[in-house]
């Protein structure tokens, strides 16, 4: 039996989570497995009910689960809430309390969607690389932080980028391990020409590499990497980088695939794992049943692979997505002429129907 904590969150987070749950149920039925799912509120929904974006009971539920699935949090309703109680705080709190330090974002262009990319189809053809983003350190968590008044008048806003040797070692090790299962190339991204924290990052990544002589390593400054992702994204296999740089580069990379609605993620620690689509709660399309649920569904595939070691089930989910796309079904964000437009729930049904025993 596998225990899964399900945290739908807000906006389209709820709609796409419903499709992810549909997929997990279907996998259970087809493969005779028991997935026990317990749901809890998080983000704005939790603020409305409990006055906080995440409550200790929800953290305990997540900590006791074999895997956590999260939809997305946030929305205009809570934009005026003070920063320490914003829905997004739930995400940071959850990631930190589960210590899921390695955020994996596979960037893959499905052949049927290559023409959806803002780049030329030949530039993104067969694109398949992995971003390994450090998730629980760096500037999002470093202290001192805050806004303080200056004696001279005005204010100063402060955040601190800080990485320690063990933090860099563990994320670099993960990147090299994943590269070994792929094309054996790691690109480490930093800003070592300006930042001391990046100089340590580069030094430690080089040290970790000594245990992985079979994996090639190169270093790129983040500004150069941002450019290379547009110029020639197929040069990358595994990109390892800090929390802030990873946040930005992975959204840029998301667009290479045509829609952020296609991108799954897994956040792994030593004893916990969190799976979520890369996108947010998309208030502009929430409640209309038009969101793309494939990022959420592909996050279920990652859960099967990384939390439960059910690698064949992960492939079954991916193949069901590929088949549904190949048969011409599209949500609004990836729609093309001549294709059949479907809503979020229908897309979930179509993929679930294509999940068959091997
Ligand atoms: P967003 O990802 O929610 O939306 C960006 C754009 O992409 C929108 O036009 C949206 O309609 C579209 N989009 C996103 N997901 C889609 C999907 N599955 N199918 C079709 N179209 C999709 O980012 P945003 O607009 O910057 O943020 C909205 C809210 O979400 C904010 O409150 C933000 O803080 C929050 N957010 C949450 C997370 C998370 O929970 N992990 C991540 C990012 C943003």
């Amino acid at each position: 039996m596998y225990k899964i904590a399900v945290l739908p969150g807000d906006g389209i987070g709820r709609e796409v989570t419903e499709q992810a749950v549909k997929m997990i149920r279907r996998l259970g039925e087809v493969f005779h497995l028991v997935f026990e799912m317990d749901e809890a509120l998080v983000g704005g929904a939790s603020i409305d009910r409990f006055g906080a974006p995440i409550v200790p009971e929800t953290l305990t539920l997540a900590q006791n689960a074999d895997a956590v699935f999260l939809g997305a949090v946030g929305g205009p309703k809570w934009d005026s809430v003070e920063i320490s109680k914003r829905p997004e705080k739930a995400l940071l709190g959850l990631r930190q309390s589960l210590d899921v330090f390695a955020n994996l974002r596979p960037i893959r262009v499905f052949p049927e969607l290559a023409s959806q990319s803002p780049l030329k189809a030949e530039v993104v053809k067969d694109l398949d690389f992995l971003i390994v983003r450090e998730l629980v350190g760096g500037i999002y968590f470093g202290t001192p932080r805050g806004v303080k008044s200056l004696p001279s008048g005005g204010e100063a806003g402060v955040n601190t980028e800080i990485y320690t040797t063990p933090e860099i070692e563990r994320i670099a090790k993960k990147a090299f391990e994943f590269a070994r299962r792929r094309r054996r190339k790691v690109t480490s991204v930093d800003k070592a020409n300006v930042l001391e924290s990046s100089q340590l990052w580069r030094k430690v990544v080089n040290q970790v590499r000594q245990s992985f002589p079979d994996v090639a390593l190169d270093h790129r400054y983040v500004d150069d990497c941002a450019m290379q992702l547009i110029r020639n994204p197929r040069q990358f296999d595994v990109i390892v980088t800090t929390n802030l740089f990873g946040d930005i580069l992975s959204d840029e990379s998301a667009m290479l695939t045509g829609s952020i609605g296609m991108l799954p993620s897994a956040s792994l620690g030593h004893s916990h794992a969190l799976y979520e689509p890369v996108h947010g709660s998309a208030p502009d399309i929430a409640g209309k049943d038009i969101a793309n649920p494939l990022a959420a569904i592909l996050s279920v595939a990652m859960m099967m692979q990384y939390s439960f070691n059910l690698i064949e089930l992960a492939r079954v989910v991916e193949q069901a997505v590929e088949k549904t796309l190949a048969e011409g079904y599209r949500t609004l964000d990836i729609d093309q002429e001549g294709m059949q437009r479907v809503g979020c729930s229908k897309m979930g049904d179509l993929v679930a129907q294509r999940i068959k025993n091997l």
Side-chain angles (χ1 to χ4, degrees):
M1 190 177 80
Y2 303 98
K3 267 177 85 167
I4 304 169
V6 178
L7 312 176
D10 309 311
I12 66 161
R14 302 223 293 269
E15 297 165 43
V16 300
T17 300
E18 221 177 280
Q19 310 319 311
V21 167
K22 203 179 265 178
M23 226 49 54
I24 295 168
R25 289 217 178 93
R26 175 82 182 149
L27 288 168
E29 278 163 24
V30 173
F31 294 93
H32 310 291
L33 295 166
V34 181
F35 295 108
E36 187 191 290
M37 289 183 272
D38 287 312
E39 210 172 294
L41 300 177
V42 71
S46 176
I47 295 174
D48 288 351
R49 178 80 177 273
F50 306 116
I54 192 157
V55 294
E57 292 75 16
T58 306
L59 284 175
T60 305
L61 179 80
Q63 275 158 354
N64 292 336
D66 298 317
V68 182
F69 184 91
L70 187 131
V73 299
K77 185 176 175 195
W78 305 281
D79 278 352
S80 53
V81 174
E82 72 159 274
I83 199 156
S84 66
K85 293 198 178 128
R86 290 280 295 268
E88 293 76 6
K89 277 281 161 188
L91 284 181
L92 300 185
L94 195 60
R95 290 167 181 169
Q96 205 172 29
S97 89
L98 299 176
D99 198 23
V100 284
F101 61 90
N103 180 227
L104 311 184
R105 296 185 168 192
I107 309 291
R108 186 176 159 209
V109 172
F110 287 83
E112 295 80 7
L113 301 182
S115 62
Q116 295 291 107
S117 172
L119 299 190
K120 291 186 194 115
E122 68 259 29
V123 177
V124 296
K125 189 170 172 276
D126 302 325
L127 186 66
D128 176 9
F129 66 93
L130 176 70
I131 297 185
V132 179
R133 166 188 169 196
E134 200 292 324
L135 199 62
V136 296
I139 199 162
Y140 292 176
F141 295 95
T143 53
R145 63 184 299 158
V147 177
K148 59 182 181 193
S149 301
L150 295 172
S152 54
E155 293 177 305
V158 180
N159 291 94
T160 303
E161 170 80 348
I162 177 165
Y163 273 111
T164 62
T165 304
E167 283 177 313
I168 305 167
E169 275 170 356
R170 65 181 187 172
I171 192 73
K173 198 161 166 271
K174 274 266 186 258
F176 284 109
E177 283 167 2
F178 279 106
R180 263 192 180 153
R181 299 183 214 165
R182 299 175 50 92
R183 299 189 300 276
R184 294 176 184 254
K185 181 182 171 198
V186 170
T187 302
S188 174
V189 176
D190 60 38
K191 189 73 182 163
N193 49 343
V194 180
L195 301 175
E196 283 80 359
S197 61
S198 278
Q199 284 161 9
L200 181 69
W201 177 278
R202 194 174 277 220
K203 184 173 113 183
V204 176
V205 170
N206 280 331
Q207 284 164 356
V208 173
R209 198 245 154 175
Q210 288 170 10
S211 309
F212 297 86
D214 51 322
V215 179
L217 169 68
D218 66 350
H219 299 274
R220 284 199 180 270
Y221 299 134
V222 62
D223 39 350
D224 178 33
C225 183
M227 192 178 71
Q228 296 297 335
L229 281 169
I230 303 297
R231 200 180 69 84
N232 176 18
R234 275 188 296 175
Q235 69 185 280
F236 296 111
D237 180 23
V238 173
I239 292 177
V240 63
T241 191
T242 63
N243 204 343
L244 175 65
F245 296 159
D247 195 358
I248 298 164
L249 294 178
S250 60
D251 269 27
E252 181 190 356
S253 306
M255 279 321 296
L256 303 178
T257 69
S259 172
I260 198 167
M262 293 299 301
L263 284 200
S265 82
S267 303
L268 309 180
H270 290 305
S271 46
H272 297 289
L274 171 69
Y275 299 87
E276 51 183 323
V278 166
H279 61 77
S281 59
D284 53 334
I285 58 166
K288 297 180 182 161
D289 191 33
I290 56 172
N292 185 345
L294 296 180
I297 290 171
L298 292 167
S299 301
V300 169
M302 294 187 85
M303 179 189 290
M304 296 300 141
Q305 175 158 0
Y306 296 119
S307 278
F308 307 145
N309 203 26
L310 298 170
I311 295 163
E312 287 188 346
L313 266 69
R315 293 292 91 80
V316 165
V317 175
E318 286 167 2
Q319 281 163 10
V321 169
E322 281 161 18
K323 197 156 190 293
T324 309
L325 291 172
E327 288 173 26
Y329 296 103
R330 300 283 189 276
T331 44
L332 180 61
D333 56 315
I334 51 172
D335 201 11
Q336 288 158 286
E337 224 183 301
M339 298 292 143
Q340 191 168 340
R341 170 99 60 90
V342 294
C344 181
S345 179
K346 178 73 181 171
M347 185 58 109
D349 290 342
L350 289 165
V351 180
Q353 284 158 14
R354 280 154 187 75
I355 287 184
K356 304 247 161 67
N357 210 332
L358 304 165

